[in-house]
Amino acid sequence: MAAFKHKFQMYQHLANKQSEIYAEIRKAAPEVGMTAELAGKLGLTGAVSGCHGILTETVNRAMEEGARQVIPNSILNDEARAVVKDVYGDGWDAAVINTCEAALWVSFDVLCTPPNLGRGDSYRARYIAPYERHMHHQAGYGRPFPPKYKDLYSDRGVTAGELGFYGKRQPNLDTVIVPLKGARYEVHGIKYFTCPLLTKVDAEASAAEIAEVAARHQDSLTGFTSLGYDSPGYGYREKDADGAPLLQKLIGKIAAEYNVPYIVDNAWGVPFVGTDPRKIGADVIMYSMDKAAGGPTSGLIIGKEEVMVHIRRALGIHGERSGSSSSHGKAAYVTNDPGKEALLGVIAVLKGLRDNPQSILKPLDDLYTIVLEEFKALDPRLKEGWVISKATNSLSVELNYEATWTNGEMGYPIFSIEDMYAGCHVVQNGMKQMGIIPTIAYDGNIFVSPGLGTSDPDGNLIEERVRPAVRGMVKILNIVGRYAGLID
């Protein structure tokens, strides 16, 4: 295998060799246990939007039984609120919505955009976002500032222009993007693009930079945002004494000083057992309930009551004009109504998390053990620099390998998120060729979690189904590593 002088040449070589790589992966499928019976029926996570995880029997039963009963949706809205208040206290409230992206849309529109009513032109507003992963979600609702970031996520939607990601931007709203201290922003991948490499993020230095930027933009500042994840690969290695991600806690403190909301995107998170909004100073935190939480297709917004009044009004569930504490009617965002069955499923998930949170942590422990055992099959020449950790917030095992690139030496190929959207992510495509539904894997990071054909009806891990998938992933890593010229 030829050595590569420049990293882009390695990626070009991988692009040219894709057909050979995939042929070898298909041939290797039987030897790792990926039989024809399993192919296409299990994956490394149930947390991707294109292929949702399977509901547990408890959640499925709650939805089926409730679907055949006459229950006003306002009653279900209030039941979800009550469970959240049981855990977080009476100063917190909740709203169920159809997706997490809808939750972001409503939250930014309600809390950060300028008002439309009143004489004169609307003023411009800005919210601050640290430069982290999948910015097209939490940082995609304003026009990027400084302008060098204006094309940062132009190709991350199937549709371009006004009907794509750009079309969701709010009027007169800007997103101020702040690079994180200690992070590396390097260009990688077949679709050569900047990858945020975040394991060395310095939380205090980054917060100081964010505070300085906030001071420069204070005249138009209307909010802050970040992800709510807790893992090293997402930049949240450093924790406070109470276990909260330190950078998130510091951002929450800055937001409070400016009296503007801190909006936390925790799509791949689990309420109650994951990141605690009270500990990080979040005003609202939102979840995709069909990902790590194991619920039906839906989203959930949890926030401080003062803030949630306005969000719930926008959803038409806060109360009638004639006077009531809740309702289920028309408003600006009635298009994001989750529906009765989704409400039933979310309530069942929340009750399970409230009453027996440990039950969902055991599958994570079991998965972590399996990943460590199967990872031993990775070629020793590829292993240096890999960090494997449990991410409780998302009930996942994170495999991060950005540290394989050190001292100017080429490491394991890092595929960008642009590769994922463009369909040229060789490792993810290799999973498809082996019959494994791919997991989230980009920017030197791979997440593995239960839920996609690897769990029983009670949510317990099925070892004989998850091992072939993990073993197959490791085999793919070996094959791609060889074609990248890292091993003979």
Side-chain angles (χ1 to χ4, degrees):
M1 184 69 68
F4 304 103
K5 182 177 181 180
H6 303 293
K7 60 184 176 181
F8 81 89
Q9 295 169 333
M10 178 184 72
Y11 294 115
Q12 284 182 336
H13 179 76
L14 289 172
N16 294 334
K17 293 292 184 178
Q18 284 184 85
S19 60
E20 295 178 33
I21 295 171
Y22 301 147
E24 187 170 338
I25 289 171
R26 288 193 297 271
K27 186 177 179 180
E31 68 183 67
V32 299
M34 281 302 301
T35 63
E37 291 75 22
L38 292 177
K41 297 179 182 177
L42 54 82
L44 292 171
T45 180
V48 291
S49 297
C51 189
H52 301 286
I54 299 172
L55 301 176
T56 63
E57 185 59 34
T58 300
V59 175
N60 191 54
R61 189 184 311 115
M63 294 172 66
E64 287 185 350
E65 292 177 354
R68 293 191 296 269
Q69 299 176 27
V70 178
I71 311 172
N73 281 0
S74 59
I75 292 176
L76 297 176
N77 285 328
D78 286 348
E79 190 171 357
R81 301 171 71 191
V83 179
V84 169
K85 288 174 177 291
D86 288 344
V87 177
Y88 287 144
D90 209 23
W92 291 79
D93 212 330
V96 183
I97 193 169
N98 58 351
T99 66
C100 187
E101 193 69 51
L104 284 166
W105 200 311
V106 172
S107 297
F108 281 110
D109 192 13
V110 170
L111 302 177
C112 294
T113 59
N116 292 317
L117 296 179
R119 296 183 178 182
D121 296 331
S122 293
Y123 53 82
R124 292 207 68 83
R126 290 182 170 177
Y127 72 95
I128 292 177
Y131 189 177
E132 47 185 339
R133 291 219 166 99
H134 52 251
M135 296 282 284
H136 53 284
H137 293 293
Q138 73 277 13
Y141 286 89
R143 295 188 177 191
F145 182 93
K148 68 177 182 177
Y149 296 123
K150 64 177 175 285
D151 215 37
L152 187 61
Y153 23 83
S154 61
D155 290 340
R156 296 187 188 176
V158 174
T159 303
E162 291 293 324
L163 299 179
F165 274 113
Y166 282 176
K168 71 182 183 182
R169 287 178 177 168
Q170 298 297 300
N172 295 317
L173 184 65
D174 304 325
T175 306
V176 181
I177 298 172
V178 182
L180 295 168
K181 297 295 185 181
R184 294 153 52 196
Y185 299 97
E186 299 178 359
V187 178
H188 286 278
I190 290 175
K191 189 177 179 186
Y192 216 47
F193 207 79
T194 306
C195 297
L197 307 179
L198 306 173
T199 60
K200 300 298 183 182
V201 165
D202 184 322
E204 292 190 350
S206 296
E209 178 69 14
I210 289 170
E212 183 178 329
V213 172
R216 294 203 300 268
H217 295 277
Q218 61 182 316
D219 289 344
S220 56
L221 186 61
T222 58
F224 292 80
T225 193
S226 80
L227 293 174
Y229 301 170
D230 64 348
S231 64
Y234 275 83
Y236 297 109
R237 167 182 53 89
E238 294 181 279
K239 304 293 194 299
D240 204 354
D242 58 6
L246 180 57
L247 179 57
Q248 293 168 19
K249 190 167 188 174
L250 293 172
I251 294 174
K253 183 179 179 181
I254 298 168
E257 291 172 354
Y258 283 95
N259 189 31
V260 296
Y262 177 26
I263 299 170
V264 177
D265 177 8
N266 200 17
W268 199 349
V270 182
F272 308 160
V273 301
T275 299
D276 190 330
R278 300 168 300 181
K279 292 182 179 180
I280 62 172
D283 289 273
V284 290
I285 186 168
M286 50 219 56
Y287 306 86
S288 184
M289 294 299 289
D290 51 286
K291 290 187 170 62
T297 303
S298 56
L300 176 69
I301 310 173
I302 295 176
K304 297 174 181 176
E305 279 198 324
E306 176 193 4
V307 174
M308 290 302 296
V309 164
H310 306 292
I311 289 176
R312 289 173 56 80
R313 280 173 60 88
L315 293 171
I317 60 175
H318 184 64
E320 289 98 352
R321 287 176 293 165
S322 57
S324 68
S325 62
S326 62
S327 66
H328 197 101
K330 301 294 184 182
Y333 282 97
V334 70
T335 50
N336 299 127
D337 190 325
K340 177 184 174 182
E341 286 71 25
L343 283 163
L344 290 162
V346 169
I347 291 167
V349 171
L350 292 176
K351 286 181 176 179
L353 294 169
R354 177 194 65 188
D355 300 336
N356 190 19
Q358 290 303 316
S359 66
I360 66 168
L361 296 176
K362 184 181 184 303
L364 174 59
D365 293 336
D366 295 341
L367 179 63
Y368 181 63
T369 299
I370 290 172
V371 170
L372 290 178
E373 291 172 354
E374 295 298 335
F375 192 76
K376 294 176 183 177
L378 188 72
D379 190 291
R381 293 166 291 181
L382 298 176
K383 281 185 178 177
E384 187 175 354
W386 287 75
V387 177
I388 303 177
S389 56
K390 283 191 289 188
T392 303
N393 175 70
S394 56
L395 300 180
S396 301
V397 178
E398 181 184 79
L399 298 90
N400 184 278
Y401 60 90
E402 66 181 64
T404 63
W405 293 75
T406 56
N407 302 320
E409 297 292 326
M410 290 190 194
Y412 197 85
I414 293 176
F415 297 97
S416 67
I417 193 171
E418 299 291 320
D419 285 319
M420 183 176 76
Y421 284 112
C424 54
H425 190 313
V426 176
V427 172
Q428 283 187 322
N429 289 347
M431 293 179 189
K432 294 179 184 178
Q433 296 296 319
M434 192 170 275
I436 304 168
I437 298 172
T439 184
I440 300 295
Y442 55 84
D443 296 345
N445 217 50
I446 301 173
F447 261 22
V448 178
S449 63
L452 197 60
T454 57
S455 303
D456 68 18
D458 295 320
N460 301 307
L461 206 65
I462 305 174
E463 183 174 343
E464 58 268 27
R465 292 179 70 87
V466 74
R467 276 193 185 275
V470 176
R471 191 176 299 139
M473 176 189 70
V474 175
K475 183 69 173 180
I476 292 166
L477 293 174
N478 280 328
I479 292 172
V480 174
R482 177 158 44 81
Y483 277 89
L486 301 177
I487 55 178
D488 300 328

